[in-house]
Each structure stands twice: as structure tokens, then as C-alpha cells.
Amino acid sequence: MRIMQFGGLYFLITVTLHFLVQQIRQLSFLPQVGRRAAGLVEAPIMLVLIFITAALLVRWMGSKLSTKALLIAGAFATGLLIVSGLVLDIGVSGYRPSEYFLNADRTTRAVYLGGLFVFALSPALVQQMRTKQI
């Protein structure tokens, strides 16, 4: 149960931060540089916020969880992120799932998949860094 609580809270905080960063991106970067470039500017900002969120949550409630449990929590949060993204993006844009994936360019898709990978692993990586005192 604690794993799901950690994963759910990790997901909610990160999605909230992403929403805020996305609003700033759309108001400031998007008109000047275009959608793809604005998304690529947003990606490193989100990676830093993901890592900070994971670190704070591990410190607050994940210190009693094992690295394996944090991997599961990260995978659970990533699953929530993928499903919510598909539901919202496909629901809002009206794309069929196959069209949704085919319309993204390679760079954007690679950055998105890399971000998901980092998102899933961050809690466990933070825990490992804490236990080794790096």
C-alpha cells in the first residue's frame, strides 16, 4: 500500500509541476520558437523537477522503502502518467491512438521516452545515492 501511495503522490506532484511549466512554455517560448523547440526547452527543466520531486519524496516517505519497492513505485507512477497522457491527449485532440503515436517526430518521441525512463528510475536512484552518501 505504501508503494502505491508513494507512486500516486509522485505522479500527482510531477503532473502538477508539468502543467505549470507547460503553461509558462506556451505563453513565453511557444510563440517565438515553435512547438518542437519549446518542448525541447521544457524537457531539461522537467527532468530537474522530476529528480527534485523524487528526492523530496524519498526523504519524506520513501526512506523506509527498499530500492526494489521504489522501482515498483516509479513504474506505477509512470504507468499512471502514460495512461493519463493518452486519455487527455487523445481525448482533447481527437486522434486515434495509432495517429497519436505516428504524428510525433522522432526527436520529440525520443525525448519523451527518455523522460519516462528517468521518471520511472528517479526514486530508486535517489535512494541509492542516499544510502551510499554520494
Side-chain angles (χ1 to χ4, degrees):
M1 187 64 167
R2 193 166 176 89
I3 293 171
M4 289 176 45
Q5 287 174 337
F6 184 96
L9 191 56
Y10 182 46
F11 162 76
L12 287 173
I13 292 170
T14 306
V15 165
T16 302
L17 290 171
H18 182 256
F19 177 77
L20 295 172
V21 169
Q22 194 173 35
Q23 297 309 309
I24 294 167
R25 174 192 76 160
Q26 287 180 346
L27 294 173
S28 59
F29 293 112
L30 189 65
Q32 291 136 351
V33 297
R35 184 176 181 176
R36 180 180 179 196
L40 294 175
V41 167
E42 176 187 345
I45 295 167
M46 280 310 303
L47 291 176
V48 169
L49 291 174
I50 285 168
F51 197 76
I52 290 170
T53 301
L56 291 173
L57 282 176
V58 166
R59 175 186 248 171
W60 181 52
M61 67 182 290
S63 59
K64 294 178 183 167
L65 295 173
S66 68
T67 302
K68 182 180 176 182
L70 289 170
L71 280 171
I72 294 168
F76 176 69
T78 303
L80 290 174
L81 189 65
I82 292 169
V83 169
S84 66
L86 284 173
V87 168
L88 290 174
D89 287 346
I90 291 171
V92 170
S93 65
Y95 289 136
R96 292 190 309 248
S98 60
E99 291 174 328
Y100 175 76
F101 289 110
L102 293 175
N103 284 338
D105 66 90
R106 288 182 187 172
T107 304
T108 305
R109 201 173 321 151
V111 169
Y112 175 72
L113 292 174
L116 287 177
F117 187 71
V118 169
F119 181 69
L121 294 179
S122 285
L125 290 174
V126 167
Q127 178 75 330
Q128 284 295 306
M129 288 173 33
R130 284 187 60 163
T131 57
K132 295 190 187 215
Q133 297 298 324
I134 296 176

